[in-house]
Amino acid sequence: MFLLVLALFAAVDDLHLLLHILLAAALHECGHVFFLRFLGGEISAFYITAFGGELQIKNSNKISYGKELISVLAGPAVNIACALLCAKAAVFLTWERGYLIAGIHMSLALFNLLPVRMLDGGRAIELLLSWIIDPIYADHILHTLSGITLGCVLCLTSALQGMIGLQISLIVIELWFIACWCSETGIVKPVRTG
C-alpha cells in the first residue's frame, strides 16, 4: 500500500515535492528514534505500514509513560523546528522554495498530531490518559475519539472535493483515513513490511 501511494504521488507530482516529503518523513522518524534511544528505550523493529512508519519498542514496560510521550511527540517537534528554520531561511535568503518546504514540514507535523490511533497525536493522548486513568478506559476513549476525528476529516475532505473538484491528493488522504477507520473498527488489520 505504501509503495502504491508513493508511486501514485510520484506520477502526479508536478512540483517535484516527493523528495522533500520523504526527507521530512525521514527527519520525523529520526526525531522519534533519537529521543527514544536518548531516554533509554530500545528499538526492536521498524515497520512501514499503510499508515506510515511504526517503531516497535524492545521491553516497552521498562520505559515510563512520560518518556514514551516525549519520544512520540519528538517526531512532530522535529518537523515544526524544520518548518521554522526553512521559513526563516526563506525570508533571510529570499528562497521561495523554502516556504514550500516549511509548509511540508508543518503539514506533516500537524497531520501527525491529529487524535487518531495510528498517528502520533493519538498515541500521545493514549499515553497521557493511561498515565492518569486505567489503560483500558484510555483505549476506549481513544477509540471513540479516533472514530469521531476520522469521520469529521472524511466529511471535510469530501466537502472540499465538492467545492474545488476532484483532487488526487485529497482522494489519497481520504483512502488513508478510510483504511485507518477500517483498522480502528477491526474490519482490517494493518500489514507490516520492512
Side-chain angles (χ1 to χ4, degrees):
M1 177 74 167
F2 172 76
L3 294 176
L4 180 63
V5 170
L6 199 62
L8 177 64
F9 187 82
V12 297
D13 184 17
D14 295 336
L15 297 173
H16 308 290
L17 300 177
L18 185 59
L19 181 62
H20 298 295
I21 292 170
L22 291 174
L23 181 60
L27 288 170
H28 178 97
E29 295 304 327
C30 285
H32 290 309
V33 170
F34 175 80
F35 275 91
L36 185 61
R37 293 188 51 84
F38 179 75
L39 296 170
E42 293 182 51
I43 300 163
S44 61
F46 175 76
Y47 300 103
I48 295 176
T49 70
F51 309 109
E54 183 181 318
L55 294 171
Q56 190 172 44
I57 302 170
K58 187 177 185 180
N59 299 326
S60 62
N61 57 345
K62 291 184 177 180
I63 188 167
S64 69
Y65 285 130
K67 287 180 178 179
E68 190 174 350
L69 181 61
I70 290 169
S71 66
V72 164
L73 294 176
V78 165
N79 288 126
I80 291 169
C82 288
L84 295 174
L85 286 172
C86 287
K88 191 73 165 172
V91 170
F92 184 71
L93 302 172
T94 60
W95 176 43
E96 282 189 44
R97 194 139 178 101
Y99 293 113
L100 189 60
I101 296 168
I104 289 169
H105 278 281
M106 190 59 76
S107 297
L108 184 61
L110 295 177
F111 179 79
N112 270 283
L113 288 172
L114 286 173
V116 174
R117 183 181 308 275
M118 289 79 175
L119 298 173
D120 297 332
R123 181 67 181 143
I125 288 171
E126 184 177 31
L127 288 166
L128 255 171
L129 289 174
S130 294
W131 202 356
I132 298 167
I133 61 175
D134 187 275
I136 293 172
Y137 294 126
D139 182 65
H140 291 304
I141 292 169
L142 182 60
H143 177 74
T144 302
L145 188 57
S146 286
I148 290 169
T149 302
L150 291 169
C152 288
V153 171
L154 280 170
C155 288
L156 287 172
T157 57
S158 296
L160 189 59
Q161 294 265 31
M163 291 186 322
I164 64 174
L166 289 179
Q167 299 291 317
I168 295 288
S169 57
L170 285 177
I171 292 171
V172 170
I173 290 170
E174 288 171 337
L175 290 173
W176 188 88
F177 276 110
I178 289 169
C180 285
W181 181 83
C182 289
S183 177
E184 182 66 33
T185 58
I187 293 172
V188 295
K189 300 287 184 202
V191 177
R192 295 178 173 157
T193 61

